[in-house]
Amino acid sequence: MVNYKLTISYDGSRYLGFQNQTQFENTIAGKIEEALMKLSGEDVHLIGAGRTDAGVHALAMPANVYLKKHYDTNELLIKLNELLPEDIRITNVLIVPKNFHARYSACGKTYRYTCYFGEEKPVFKRKYVHVLNKQPDIEAMKAAAAILIGEHDFRSFCKITEDISTVRTVDKIDICKEGDYLYLTYHGNGFLRYMVRIITGTLLDVGMGKRSASSVKGILDAKDRTLAGPTAPACGLMMIKSDYMPSTDS
Amino acid sequence: MVNYKLTISYDGSRYLGFQNQTQFENTIAGKIEEALMKLSGEDVHLIGAGRTDAGVHALAMPANVYLKKHYDTNELLIKLNELLPEDIRITNVLIVPKNFHARYSACGKTYRYTCYFGEEKPVFKRKYVHVLNKQPDIEAMKAAAAILIGEHDFRSFCKITEDISTVRTVDKIDICKEGDYLYLTYHGNGFLRYMVRIITGTLLDVGMGKRSASSVKGILDAKDRTLAGPTAPACGLMMIKSDYMPSTDS
């Protein structure tokens, strides 16, 4: 068996997410597995670094898949892209050690959330931004974000679907404005379901003056999802990258 | 009657062009006229600065329309956008003098053509680029473009559909590379049907070594469309702006 690492860029607008428990057809992983099966004639299972939700995008989502045959990586990339729809592109293929696992080998992840607070929703980025009705108070958002940095139990900021630890380390929440756009860039060792979107929704509440920056400490401590802000819309979220040890990081 | 100037941003991917002689429904102008009629109850006719072809986009296409009623411009903008699909946005509404005509009052126009020569078609800009299979020779393209600057009969570089003069002045063809993208920016007093795309197709032929830069002089002089290069794909083209006298330029 050969272990292939694929890097995938996709527009999640018309999909049910990267992977979905009950449905196969309208997922990113489903589309890629279909193409891989067509190419290899093998039963395949694609392992993604993350399981982005319906409507969430990825600039570079790593995944791995075992295939019996040895393919030229560049040829595999070209053939897969021929079979895939235009909103899913394989941007890199690499042969990696057998023990490489796109999810468990990842030591860090970067997500970016994009908001727009200009007059009219920008036509060419309409699927990739969350539109705000005014410019938020960025300094207040930064103060609130600082409270979340470090290792914490993020139970208040996630949707619990399995009995897993909700402790994660977030080492960066960078908030920056460029023209009418606001970018929130997150880096951490891992993110729980809806975690980036719920943190974003809460920080936006702070930015809009609906809650104080300091209130975030109480939300974190309460370990109660109902106290945090709304889950920000999926369209604004993009998985940017996953970190691995150098040998498999390409 | 009040003369309103609308500035329109649109993704032309799923439309038959800005305006179409035979069809109304699947055009940008058709969609806007439909919204204007719904709002005003009047029969309206939208005059665009240009008639972009099927699949061509616009960052800021000016148009004007006469309505009997006096509307607050900001309110008109908001109401129109509520009625329009997300890939067509009105970005500005202005009341202009009665003699303002979006096409005839325009004294200059800017178009941009975007090519991409990287490995894989970029997912998030997939609808707005023309993908090349290698990086073209930009210096050769610049030399060829220089020949076209000035007032010329551009008969070789257009599709003649009416008995009109084919003399135009092109005062700028800026060719610049940014990463894996190549941008061709055109400015002139007006452009004939397919003119920007045929010039682009010819310049790309030069860039790909299929014809020499100096051959462009012969093509221009021959006044024969069959001698020029192919019409570059619509998706790469975007109308950027139209110039007017200061009072109506917003």
Side-chain angles (χ1 to χ4, degrees), chain A residues 163-181:
Chain A
D163 185 24
I164 53 166
S165 162
T166 45
V167 175
R168 293 290 183 279
T169 300
V170 173
D171 52 41
K172 190 180 88 171
I173 303 178
D174 181 54
I175 302 174
C176 98
K177 184 173 95 78
E178 272 178 41
D180 289 339
Y181 291 87

Side-chain angles (χ1 to χ4, degrees), chain A residues 89-100:
Chain A
R89 289 290 93 179
I90 310 295
T91 59
N92 193 262
V93 177
L94 209 61
I95 291 174
V96 288
K98 286 210 172 47
N99 64 351
F100 172 83

